[in-house]
Amino acid sequence: MPMPSEIKRISDTVWELPTSYKEGMQVPARIFATEKLMHEMDAGVFDQVTNVACLPGIVKYAYCMPDGHWGYGFPIGGTAAMDPEKGVISPGGIGFDINCGMRLVLTNLTYDEVKPRLHQLVDRLYYRVPAGVGSHGFVKVSHDEFCRVVEQGSRWCQHHGYAWPEDLAMTEEGGCFEGADASKITVKAIERGYNQLGTLGSGNHYLEIQVAKPGNIFDEETARAFGITLPDQVVVMFHCGSRGFGHQVATDYLQTFLAVMERKYGIRVGDRELACAPFRSREGQDYFAAMKCAVNMAFANRQVILHRIREVFADVFSRDPTDLGMNMVYDVAHNTAKLEKHLVDGQKRELLMHRKGATRAFGPGMEGLPECYRETGQPVIIGGSMETGSYLLAGVKSGDQSFYTTAHGSGRTMSRHQAKRQFRGEKLQREMEARGIYVKSVSWGGLAEEAGAAYKNIDEVVEATELAGLSRRVVKLVPIGNVKG
Amino acid sequence: MPYRYLEDIALADAAFEAWGTTVEEMFIAAADATMNVMVEELATIHRDREIRLEVEHDALDILLFKFLNELIFYKDAERLLLRVESVTITRHPSLFTLHSVACGEELNPARHALSADVKAVTLHRFKVEQTEEGWKATVILDI
């Protein structure tokens, strides 16, 4: 895809579209990418990131990360800081899957210890962590109890025996966004999601058993601080979000904003998916409180899934999960809006950070990080395709240029239908098994859609984040077992 | 089948065009296109349960948006896979009302080859238009 001719190269990895590119742009748009990745960006990215630059109250730049691709509203990889007093909040800047995120869990097992039981492990995980279209979870709650889940997030899980106390400290915001208000969510959202606690979902959501090979450690000291201490250590990574509940919250408020945006607030946007309202308006605050419920549902979802993973490992290895060292490295969200304090032209300001398919990546010493990561910077979990591997990165000081935000995954380069035509799920499963990756999926079609060749090269994406100074590589993790929705 | 999937936009998601001679036919086609993203063979959905769907809005395109969202809601809330059998749209002075009958059954992975889950209907490039042949909708679903 040819880049727009107006694009300016600011450095090797920073590209800028000026405000003259599109009428209404309040700020320039900045894309972080190597030249190769820039050429792989689809046309939607340039159009969408400059639509974001038109939103009222946007501060400094509209950003797109190196894994950016065509989304809806914001591009995937889109990031925007809004002035909370003059700016807007937009569900299109967060995504329907509110608090879709990644969680990484350690074990003290090595590949040699896991290999003989890999099939058993993956098969059990497949049955114990439901995945796929319309799946219902194992945690049964009433509507009223579900409201407590969404107001309390991981804290609810801890009260009900689904969390170790230290899990919460290793979750962004302690696994609970303060201010979640269940009176701001619809009955429809509750009905859609109350029975999905403990489910993975589908699409690119997965649960993976991975290995940290000695040759894939980029920074041994930080890897040790993150708990990667053994050669060929086995870890578990999973990717999922707030399920139908979050999708319904976003759908409900998209319609609320559409009804008032222009008529009541006089705001026009280039794409209706960017429907928004002033952050300080009643509608803006209602959505913020409802969105936090979905954020907390996703934290709780990942927490109860972790509980199940620990149970499965304990069963298969006949050892207690504490004895297996199944501690969390971190849980990080990549579809949220939150208030954070950042320096803007030397002044500390509160900003409403929209991140859609983009990960918070706090640098060393920043507030909000657990004590054990104060020196290293925040662990950042980047999920690659099921064939190629994933990464554990760390936040860096120079992340201030994107308000401490980095990539979230590989980014697709092939449509789902094209992938389904090009690959066959059954054949892909056999080929992957021959390469030492045992994958089990609810759907052959869904498996084919997620073939590694449908994605950008994850190595190039994370390298670009490092070259751009958004985050740095710590460990590459390669898959050996995968459960796909 | 009166719909086709679009491959050159929104790579990570599922985009389609659906059409019909009448607006009602187009709504039924869009419903099937949405369901066909999740279920590979629509003919495998049995007619075990009947659901009545009712939505209203002052804009025809948002009426389609709300209608498709109903199908997605039932898929999660009751694990129902639905095929729309009839749609009646009534135009009032400043409102469209839709009454629809959909039939289907609870999803059963043993019989239904399931594909990607649809999270939501997006409004990105969402369009309902009258053409020379009838009506056409362009929809991008979030996967």
Side-chain angles (χ1 to χ4, degrees), chain A residues 308-383:
Chain A
R308 271 271 152 122
I309 294 169
R310 285 173 174 154
E311 282 182 349
V312 168
F313 271 77
D315 282 353
V316 169
F317 291 95
S318 303
R319 281 167 68 189
D320 192 86
T322 48
D323 186 39
L324 290 167
M326 297 190 74
N327 295 299
M328 275 176 65
V329 178
Y330 207 57
D331 178 306
V332 69
H334 52 229
N335 281 3
T336 59
K338 58 196 287 211
L339 288 167
E340 291 174 4
K341 288 198 173 72
H342 292 286
L343 283 176
V344 181
D345 301 326
Q347 278 201 318
K348 202 164 207 178
R349 281 172 62 179
E350 189 172 53
L351 299 170
L352 179 67
M353 292 301 308
H354 286 70
R355 295 188 179 98
K356 181 185 186 182
T359 315
R360 188 193 77 170
F362 279 179
M366 288 181 69
E367 265 179 56
L369 287 183
E371 196 55 47
C372 57
Y373 300 143
R374 281 282 166 90
E375 278 185 31
T376 56
Q378 180 201 305
V380 175
I381 305 157
I382 307 266

Side-chain angles (χ1 to χ4, degrees), chain A residues 188 202 271 273 416 421 443, chain B residues 7 12 70 114 117 123-124:
Chain A
K188 207 162 192 167
S202 108
D271 173 358
E273 191 59 43
R416 292 182 175 276
R421 266 201 316 273
S443 149
Chain B
E7 305 223 2
E70 287 297 298
L114 299 170
D117 197 7
L123 287 176
H124 177 55

Side-chain angles (χ1 to χ4, degrees), chain A residues 77-135:
Chain A
T79 301
M82 300 294 175
D83 181 325
E85 304 309 320
K86 300 181 202 144
V88 293
I89 184 165
S90 171
I94 295 153
F96 285 96
D97 199 359
I98 297 166
N99 189 7
C100 186
M102 308 290 304
R103 185 172 285 215
L104 182 64
V105 186
L106 299 166
T107 74
N108 54 21
L109 299 165
T110 63
Y111 176 55
D112 286 342
E113 290 169 301
V114 169
K115 197 178 169 192
R117 298 186 195 182
L118 183 64
H119 278 228
Q120 191 189 357
L121 205 49
V122 172
D123 291 347
R124 287 255 187 125
L125 287 167
Y126 176 83
Y127 288 110
R128 301 278 284 170
V129 182
V133 179
S135 52

Side-chain angles (χ1 to χ4, degrees), chain A residues 3 7-17 29-38 41 63-67 398 401-402 405-406 459-471:
Chain A
M3 286 183 262
I7 209 149
K8 277 193 301 188
R9 191 170 193 166
I10 305 294
S11 73
D12 279 354
T13 49
V14 181
W15 308 72
E16 188 171 304
L17 279 164
R30 282 201 162 182
I31 301 167
F32 297 99
T34 56
E35 186 158 4
K36 181 165 184 287
L37 289 173
M38 270 309 272
M41 296 264 172
Y63 301 96
C64 185
M65 299 298 133
D67 55 336
S398 54
Q401 61 184 314
S402 61
T405 307
T406 189
D459 300 327
E460 288 172 11
V461 169
V462 295
E463 192 181 359
T465 75
E466 188 168 293
L467 290 170
L470 304 178
S471 50

Side-chain angles (χ1 to χ4, degrees), chain A residues 32-340:
Chain A
F32 297 99
T34 56
E35 186 158 4
K36 181 165 184 287
L37 289 173
M38 270 309 272
H39 285 289
E40 286 176 13
M41 296 264 172
D42 42 33
V45 168
F46 305 113
D47 187 38
Q48 292 181 331
V49 75
T50 49
N51 283 343
V52 174
C54 297
L55 291 175
I58 186 166
V59 176
K60 294 297 277 186
Y61 302 100
Y63 301 96
C64 185
M65 299 298 133
D67 55 336
H69 56 270
W70 194 328
Y72 46 87
F74 277 43
I76 310 300
T79 301
M82 300 294 175
D83 181 325
E85 304 309 320
K86 300 181 202 144
V88 293
I89 184 165
S90 171
I94 295 153
F96 285 96
D97 199 359
I98 297 166
N99 189 7
C100 186
M102 308 290 304
R103 185 172 285 215
L104 182 64
V105 186
L106 299 166
T107 74
N108 54 21
L109 299 165
T110 63
Y111 176 55
D112 286 342
E113 290 169 301
V114 169
K115 197 178 169 192
R117 298 186 195 182
L118 183 64
H119 278 228
Q120 191 189 357
L121 205 49
V122 172
D123 291 347
R124 287 255 187 125
L125 287 167
Y126 176 83
Y127 288 110
R128 301 278 284 170
V129 182
V133 179
S135 52
H136 283 182
F138 64 93
V139 180
K140 304 293 178 203
V141 291
S142 65
H143 284 196
D144 286 349
E145 192 64 25
F146 185 72
C147 289
R148 286 190 277 279
V149 173
V150 303
E151 288 188 339
Q152 298 169 16
S154 298
R155 290 180 201 159
W156 182 91
C157 301
Q158 194 182 352
H159 295 150
H160 291 78
Y162 296 113
W164 298 353
E166 55 269 39
D167 293 342
L168 276 62
M170 294 301 159
T171 308
E172 184 173 344
E173 299 294 320
C176 178
F177 273 25
E178 296 294 341
D181 181 353
S183 73
K184 305 299 182 191
I185 56 181
T186 60
V187 173
K188 207 162 192 167
I190 297 170
E191 284 178 353
R192 197 172 155 191
Y194 82 103
N195 48 27
Q196 292 186 327
L197 259 179
T199 59
L200 270 184
S202 108
N204 61 357
H205 291 168
Y206 63 84
L207 190 171
E208 204 162 80
I209 302 175
Q210 303 170 337
V211 177
K213 295 184 176 174
N216 286 336
I217 310 268
F218 292 84
D219 172 355
E220 216 163 293
E221 196 181 334
T222 307
R224 243 194 328 274
F226 288 171
I228 309 287
T229 54
L230 301 169
D232 289 331
Q233 186 170 345
V234 168
V235 297
V236 183
M237 179 183 284
F238 56 104
H239 175 215
C240 61
S242 48
R243 308 286 290 113
F245 173 68
H247 312 159
Q248 192 64 40
V249 168
T251 298
D252 290 340
Y253 277 92
L254 186 59
Q255 294 171 79
T256 304
F257 287 175
L258 209 56
V260 297
M261 174 172 65
E262 202 169 334
R263 189 174 50 77
K264 190 168 169 187
Y265 298 111
I267 301 169
R268 288 182 171 202
V269 291
D271 173 358
R272 284 190 294 178
E273 191 59 43
L274 287 173
C276 58
F279 179 61
R280 295 294 181 205
S281 67
R282 185 177 59 77
E283 294 85 358
Q285 288 297 299
D286 284 355
Y287 171 62
F288 196 44
M291 183 216 71
K292 288 174 175 179
C293 291
V295 165
N296 292 343
M297 154 62 187
F299 282 139
N301 191 33
R302 291 198 287 275
Q303 186 60 49
V304 298
I305 288 174
L306 170 58
H307 176 78
R308 271 271 152 122
I309 294 169
R310 285 173 174 154
E311 282 182 349
V312 168
F313 271 77
D315 282 353
V316 169
F317 291 95
S318 303
R319 281 167 68 189
D320 192 86
T322 48
D323 186 39
L324 290 167
M326 297 190 74
N327 295 299
M328 275 176 65
V329 178
Y330 207 57
D331 178 306
V332 69
H334 52 229
N335 281 3
T336 59
K338 58 196 287 211
L339 288 167
E340 291 174 4

